[in-house]
């Protein structure tokens, strides 16, 4: 049985026997979704109340230390099963954005950090054709910044891939193309896992590190299709927009906390108020607050030889 077959079996079994996973996956068929245009890029807005647990997650060190890690095996729900892949457990996410939403958790409790795990990401995506594997940095959408993990969803649900097909790069360097989408995006394409890892590692070394000095603030999405590994790196300038709120009653702000899925073209709005009222101009402002423009990224990377 291939890894993809094992994942398909896991999704089928979990949605059959685990009430929480089944209910939230079934609810996806009725989530509201509308599209807006941001400077020539189509962005979807999804009203998904179940995602409030992630969008409103408090990720400061004190809050993280005071709660059990929900990705550690001993703290997971009793109904949650897994597929073992190398040093990771592949799990069905019980609060999905899309059908078949996976969480790929390291079996050891260690902080979220892409450094040292790039080869894992590329190896995994090459074994799961049809899936996009993505990474949220510890201050870029990860609700468990204390436990290393990736996530995965079927690639057909990711607007970014369609946007790349319909846009031309704003800038090109020897190492990567840079696209001026809703969020400035660095794109690597290669047939070679080794080349992808090397270029990926070099680009991360050029990006600004967080104030903690751990890693650059980034969201990463990767797919393997027709023998080509495509990796999208979206550098970040901040975690959440200035007018972010974790409250359902504060309608003067927005409960939108962008992660990889948001900056790849599907903005998650757990509150109906935000879904109904947010405008293209407001979304453009949110993207501008949390990500870089293509020109800014090019100015960082233009020294690549």
């Amino acid at each position: 049985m291939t890894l993809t077959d094992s994942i398909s079996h896991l999704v089928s079994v979990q949605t059959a026997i685990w009430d929480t996973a089944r209910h939230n996956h079934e609810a996806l068929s009725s989530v509201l979704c509308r599209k807006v245009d941001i400077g020539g890029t189509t962005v979807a807005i999804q009203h998904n109340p179940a995602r409030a647990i992630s969008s409103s997650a408090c990720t400061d060190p004190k809050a993280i230390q005071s709660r059990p890690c929900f990705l550690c095996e001993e703290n997971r729900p009793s109904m949650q099963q897994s597929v073992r892949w190398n040093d990771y457990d592949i799990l069905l996410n019980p609060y999905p954005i899309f059908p078949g939403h996976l969480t790929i958790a390291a079996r050891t409790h260690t902080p979220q950090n892409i450094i040292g795990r790039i080869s894992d990401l590329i190896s995994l995506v090459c074994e799961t054709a049809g899936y996009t594997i993505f990474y949220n940095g510890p201050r870029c959408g990860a609700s468990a910044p204390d436990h290393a993990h990736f996530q995965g969803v079927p690639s057909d649900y990711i607007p970014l891939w369609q946007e790349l097909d319909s846009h031309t790069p704003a800038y090109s360097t020897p190492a990567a193309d840079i696209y001026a989408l809703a969020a400035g995006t660095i794109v690597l394409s290669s047939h070679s896992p080794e080349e992808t890892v090397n270029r990926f590692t070099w680009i991360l070394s050029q990006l600004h590190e967080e104030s903690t000095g751990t890693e650059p603030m980034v969201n990463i999405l990767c797919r393997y299709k027709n023998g080509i590994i495509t990796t999208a790196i979206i550098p970040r300038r901040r975690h959440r927009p200035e007018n972010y709120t974790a409250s359902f009653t504060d309608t003067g702000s927005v409960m939108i906390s962008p992660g990889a899925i948001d900056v790849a073209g599907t903005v998650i709005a757990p509150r109906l108020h935000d879904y109904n009222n947010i405008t293209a101009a407001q979304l453009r402002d949110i993207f501008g607050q949390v990500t870089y423009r293509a020109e800014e990224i090019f100015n960082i990377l233009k020294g690549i030889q």
Side-chain angles (χ1 to χ4, degrees), residues 78-194:
S78 59
M79 297 298 292
Q80 190 167 34
Q81 300 177 3
S82 66
V83 170
R84 179 77 176 268
W85 180 80
N86 294 346
D87 294 325
Y88 296 82
D89 283 336
I90 300 176
L91 312 160
L92 183 65
N93 193 316
Y95 303 100
I97 298 174
F98 302 117
H101 186 168
L102 308 173
T103 300
I104 301 103
R107 290 182 57 81
T108 302
H109 184 78
T110 186
Q112 181 78 326
N113 196 321
I114 192 61
I115 307 300
R117 296 185 182 273
I118 297 171
S119 293
D120 293 344
L121 171 61
I122 302 306
S123 296
L124 177 60
V125 81
C126 288
E127 292 190 45
T128 52
Y131 262 83
T132 290
I133 307 300
F134 63 94
Y135 172 84
N136 289 321
R139 293 186 62 252
C140 303
S143 54
D146 55 329
H147 194 121
H149 65 285
F150 305 116
Q151 296 181 69
V153 295
S155 292
D156 288 346
Y157 293 115
I158 303 294
L160 172 67
W161 305 131
Q162 288 72 50
E163 291 295 314
L164 292 178
D165 290 340
S166 61
H167 286 71
T168 56
Y171 304 94
S172 291
T173 75
D177 291 326
I178 302 170
Y179 286 78
L181 304 178
T185 304
I186 303 167
V187 178
L188 316 177
S189 295
S190 176
H191 294 278
S192 166
E194 294 77 15

Side-chain angles (χ1 to χ4, degrees), residues 7 10-11 21 27 35 41 55-56 79 87 90 110 112 115 123 155 169 175 194-195 201 250 257 265 276 284:
I7 290 170
L10 175 73
V11 172
K35 295 182 179 180
T41 299
S55 294
S56 62
M79 297 298 292
D87 294 325
I90 300 176
T110 186
Q112 181 78 326
I115 307 300
S123 296
S155 292
E194 294 77 15
E195 180 187 22
T201 301
D250 178 10
S257 181
N276 285 333
R284 186 182 299 112

Side-chain angles (χ1 to χ4, degrees), residues 19-300:
D19 289 345
T20 301
R22 180 175 64 253
H23 171 77
N24 287 328
H25 275 75
E26 289 175 348
L28 291 175
S29 64
S30 59
V31 297
L32 299 173
C33 188
R34 63 184 178 93
K35 295 182 179 180
V36 298
D37 181 271
I38 302 180
T41 299
T42 301
V43 173
I45 309 172
Q46 182 194 101
H47 172 50
N48 188 336
R51 292 298 298 177
I53 194 170
S54 178
S55 294
S56 62
C58 183
T59 58
D60 65 70
K62 184 176 180 180
I64 293 297
Q65 291 172 8
S66 67
R67 58 103 172 111
C69 175
F70 54 85
L71 293 183
C72 285
E73 184 174 10
E74 62 269 22
N75 299 324
R76 296 175 200 159
S78 59
M79 297 298 292
Q80 190 167 34
Q81 300 177 3
S82 66
V83 170
R84 179 77 176 268
W85 180 80
N86 294 346
D87 294 325
Y88 296 82
D89 283 336
I90 300 176
L91 312 160
L92 183 65
N93 193 316
Y95 303 100
I97 298 174
F98 302 117
H101 186 168
L102 308 173
T103 300
I104 301 103
R107 290 182 57 81
T108 302
H109 184 78
T110 186
Q112 181 78 326
N113 196 321
I114 192 61
I115 307 300
R117 296 185 182 273
I118 297 171
S119 293
D120 293 344
L121 171 61
I122 302 306
S123 296
L124 177 60
V125 81
C126 288
E127 292 190 45
T128 52
Y131 262 83
T132 290
I133 307 300
F134 63 94
Y135 172 84
N136 289 321
R139 293 186 62 252
C140 303
S143 54
D146 55 329
H147 194 121
H149 65 285
F150 305 116
Q151 296 181 69
V153 295
S155 292
D156 288 346
Y157 293 115
I158 303 294
L160 172 67
W161 305 131
Q162 288 72 50
E163 291 295 314
L164 292 178
D165 290 340
S166 61
H167 286 71
T168 56
Y171 304 94
S172 291
T173 75
D177 291 326
I178 302 170
Y179 286 78
L181 304 178
T185 304
I186 303 167
V187 178
L188 316 177
S189 295
S190 176
H191 294 278
S192 166
E194 294 77 15
E195 180 187 22
T196 299
V197 170
N198 290 338
R199 291 164 65 193
F200 193 153
T201 301
W202 199 96
I203 286 172
L204 285 183
S205 75
Q206 302 305 299
L207 299 177
H208 304 300
E209 289 187 347
E210 278 198 82
S211 58
T212 58
T214 53
E215 66 175 27
M217 292 182 68
V218 289
N219 296 115
I220 299 161
L221 300 98
C222 190
R223 74 170 180 180
Y224 180 71
K225 183 178 181 180
N226 298 328
I228 298 174
I229 305 162
T230 305
T231 306
I233 304 169
I234 302 173
R236 295 283 295 263
R237 67 169 85 241
R238 64 182 296 165
H239 183 190
R240 287 165 168 161
E242 290 180 356
N243 61 334
Y244 166 81
T245 182
S247 168
F248 269 87
T249 59
D250 178 10
T251 56
S253 297
V254 294
M255 187 189 286
I256 293 177
S257 181
I261 294 297
D262 303 78
V263 296
T266 301
V267 174
I268 308 303
R271 302 191 312 179
L272 185 60
H273 178 273
D274 297 329
Y275 173 81
N276 285 333
N277 292 282
I278 197 159
T279 65
Q282 289 172 318
L283 282 177
R284 186 182 299 112
D285 178 61
I286 288 172
F287 276 87
Q289 288 186 52
V290 303
T291 66
Y292 289 89
R293 300 189 309 275
E295 180 181 5
E296 294 176 297
I297 296 171
F298 176 68
N299 287 335
I300 295 171

